[in-house]
Amino acid sequence: MSTISMRTGTLGVAALAVVGSLALTGCENGDEQTPAQPAASASSGAPAAPGASATPSTGDGAVPAGAPGTAKSGQVFKIGEAAEVPYDYGDFKGSRLALTVTAIEQGTPADLQGLDLGDKANGKVPYYIRYSVKNIGTTDMSYASVGHVKGLLGDGTEAQSLAVIGSFEKCKNESMPKGFAHGQTQTSCAIALAPSSQVKVAGAEYGGNPYNAANKGKAIAWK
């Protein structure tokens, strides 16, 4: 399934391209973002993810991927249920998160107007996957970005993703703010496109490391 990637600015769209299913806005090699220059930081005062708990470190800040409580490859959670996951990207290796898909909201085709998608938007309905990220490890994750969150159609297949570079008020994809230490929570959003109004985005998945084919894993899901 493809991802539509495009950039917005204060005056409109600057770039538009259809890319591979694992290509993510502002990422390298399909992985999560490495630390970026500070942007306008979002509030980290969102409610803590339910069921999240800290796991003892190994002494150097790292938490093994197989630590107790870690979500298993292919595990399915309920909407609102937290999944404890390792985060092993760039300067954040050994980090640990409680990731929760909190809601899947249906938008309208009119939401896509002004994004200059052309024929690519014909008949498609956007869905907004709201999720929260809580730092339950020992590392400072300032400016980290948690992506690889996608929609699932009713038959279990991946929905097409829409990656917007810039500000899209209906679904803000937020990086972690400065000082994102243990216990801090941030909210974010991913856009999934249903192919028609007769098909719904019924679930979501996270396919970041180690829940990907490169690590012989399978994405975890929320339904």
Side-chain angles (χ1 to χ4, degrees), residues 5-21:
S5 177
M6 35 91 68
R7 182 185 301 272
T8 62
T10 56
L11 297 180
V13 176
L16 172 64
V18 177
V19 293
S21 61

Side-chain angles (χ1 to χ4, degrees), residues 55-64 94 137-139:
T55 300
S57 72
T58 58
D60 58 359
V63 178
T138 59
T139 56

Side-chain angles (χ1 to χ4, degrees), residues 122-144:
N122 287 351
K124 293 184 172 60
V125 179
Y127 282 75
Y128 307 121
I129 302 170
R130 314 283 181 188
Y131 60 99
S132 67
V133 179
K134 182 177 181 179
N135 186 344
I136 58 173
T138 59
T139 56
D140 185 335
M141 297 185 66
S142 298
Y143 313 122

Side-chain angles (χ1 to χ4, degrees), residues 169-189:
E169 289 299 317
K170 289 188 176 293
C171 190
K172 294 183 178 180
N173 189 322
E174 304 282 8
S175 295
M176 305 306 106
K178 182 179 180 180
F180 194 71
H182 177 85
Q184 295 292 310
T185 300
Q186 174 69 310
T187 59
S188 196
C189 181

Side-chain angles (χ1 to χ4, degrees), residues 8 19 38 40 44 49 79 86 117 131 137 139 149 152 158 167 179 188 222:
T8 62
V19 293
S44 59
I79 302 293
L117 296 175
Y131 60 99
T139 56
V149 176
L152 293 173
E158 283 186 5
S167 179
S188 196
W222 287 260

